[in-house]
Amino acid sequence: MVAWQTSRFLIDLSTPKVMGIVNITPDSFSDGGQHQTVSAALRHCERLIREGADILDLGGESSRPGSSPVPLEEELARMLPVVREAVKLGVPVSVDTYKPQVMRVVLDLGADIINDIWALRQAGAADPLDAFQVVASHPSCGVCLMHMHGEPRTMQLSPMEGDVLVQVRQFLEHRARQLRQAGVAANRIVIDPGIGFGKTVAQNFALLSRQRELLVSGCPLLVGWSRKSSLAAVCGQSLGCVAALDAKDRMVASVTAALLAVERGASIVRVHDVSETVQALRVLGAIR
């Protein structure tokens, strides 16, 4: 059995898993402000579980293109009350953060997975602790290493050049190898190619087209296409302009991309539209 070891759960990846997005932010590109209070965030968690989410992914800082960093104290204030309650809901809880101090606290609260857009490359400003050390020293938490070119404020101003897949694969293989050398078991690690993070529309779709080439790393793939602007770029063409397809109108395109990602070897898809994605994956499962 292919499985992802996390703090409290061994997640069976022999069938694809759906990770539901819970943005506890005022400014995320798709649903910023909708789940900003503790009660609203928890209601959304419960709704996603009812819709079939296998994993919850909680985030307290937007990483949309052009976004600015959130101070540590503010991210902790947003995240901790929700994490305390979310870990009681019976499913694995992932925390989307790059700050080592946040990682340490949420893992102490019972979070199962650290989902880091920086692939554990960040260190605390006033604390010698770094993200790599937090995960490496934890006995069993799961970790997702994502590829990002540049950083959120400027990543789309100077996107990648050259063969995107080779660069993404080499980076993720290197980071996963470093973690394994530090004693982190291979079954705790998954990788994410980072759709939309410093990549052009063409590069994002090249990653989808050639996604199976990332499987040579031996790590399961987590892929997040949900409501990304690259979907608007191709679907909006038929409507005459990209702006005609707002984030909330990208559900069909998002589910299609998730389904194609799974067909090309993804083990986990990170999505906003859980119910629709679960239905599509059940159809795929039926023919398999």
Side-chain angles (χ1 to χ4, degrees):
M1 178 182 76
V2 179
W4 188 10
Q5 178 64 60
T6 72
S7 296
R8 300 175 298 155
F9 299 86
L10 184 65
I11 304 172
D12 180 2
L13 299 180
S14 59
T15 57
K17 296 297 180 281
V18 174
M19 174 182 275
I21 298 170
V22 183
N23 286 319
I24 315 165
T25 59
D27 56 347
S28 291
F29 79 95
S30 176
D31 55 359
Q34 293 183 25
H35 318 301
Q36 195 173 353
T37 67
V38 176
S39 59
L42 290 172
R43 285 196 301 271
H44 191 55
C45 289
E46 292 167 347
R47 174 188 170 187
L48 295 184
I49 293 170
R50 288 194 303 270
E51 292 180 352
D54 301 291
I55 306 166
L56 297 173
D57 189 48
L58 314 181
E61 176 177 322
S62 173
S63 55
R64 76 190 192 287
S67 62
S68 297
V70 170
L72 171 64
E73 295 75 15
E74 186 173 347
E75 185 176 348
L76 287 170
R78 293 176 182 177
M79 291 294 301
L80 300 194
V82 182
V83 173
R84 284 192 186 97
E85 298 304 316
V87 296
K88 303 174 185 178
L89 297 177
V91 300
V93 172
S94 166
V95 175
D96 183 350
T97 186
Y98 59 85
K99 296 184 179 73
Q101 299 94 331
V102 176
M103 295 178 188
R104 179 169 56 183
V105 175
V106 298
L107 289 172
D108 287 344
L109 289 175
D112 300 283
I113 298 160
I114 297 299
N115 181 14
D116 184 4
I117 64 172
W118 283 91
L120 306 179
R121 289 179 288 158
Q122 293 286 50
D127 188 331
L129 184 76
D130 67 44
F132 191 94
Q133 290 171 337
V134 174
V135 170
S137 63
H138 192 277
S140 60
C141 72
V143 59
C144 179
L145 303 172
M146 196 195 81
H147 177 276
M148 175 172 59
H149 175 74
E151 51 91 17
R153 279 179 293 188
T154 59
M155 61 189 178
Q156 293 308 119
L157 300 178
S158 300
M160 296 178 69
E161 298 180 355
D163 189 330
V164 63
L165 192 130
V166 170
Q167 295 176 64
V168 169
R169 185 182 66 226
Q170 290 177 346
F171 170 82
L172 292 173
E173 288 177 342
H174 174 68
R175 294 303 290 168
R177 184 167 57 250
Q178 287 183 312
L179 260 188
R180 291 193 298 269
Q181 290 171 347
V184 175
N187 69 347
R188 291 171 54 188
I189 305 167
V190 306
I191 58 174
D192 179 349
I195 300 301
F197 283 80
K199 301 161 182 86
T200 66
V201 173
Q203 287 171 339
N204 288 323
F205 282 99
L207 284 169
L208 179 58
S209 174
R210 298 171 58 193
Q211 183 182 282
R212 289 191 181 278
E213 295 178 43
L214 296 174
L215 298 175
V216 299
S217 70
C219 295
L221 287 180
L222 185 156
V223 180
W225 271 93
S226 189
R227 303 184 184 179
K228 293 291 176 74
S229 61
S230 287
L231 298 172
V234 296
C235 297
Q237 291 171 3
S238 63
L239 302 175
C241 67
V242 172
L245 200 66
D246 293 332
K248 62 182 175 57
D249 299 321
R250 300 172 194 168
M251 183 270 289
V252 173
S254 297
V255 173
T256 302
L259 201 64
L260 291 169
V262 168
E263 282 198 310
R264 286 158 174 76
S267 296
I268 308 115
V269 285
R270 182 179 180 272
V271 306
H272 297 86
D273 304 295
V274 168
S275 177
E276 294 83 357
T277 305
V278 167
Q279 291 177 48
L281 290 176
R282 285 178 180 166
V283 172
L284 179 61
I287 67 169
R288 284 180 165 180

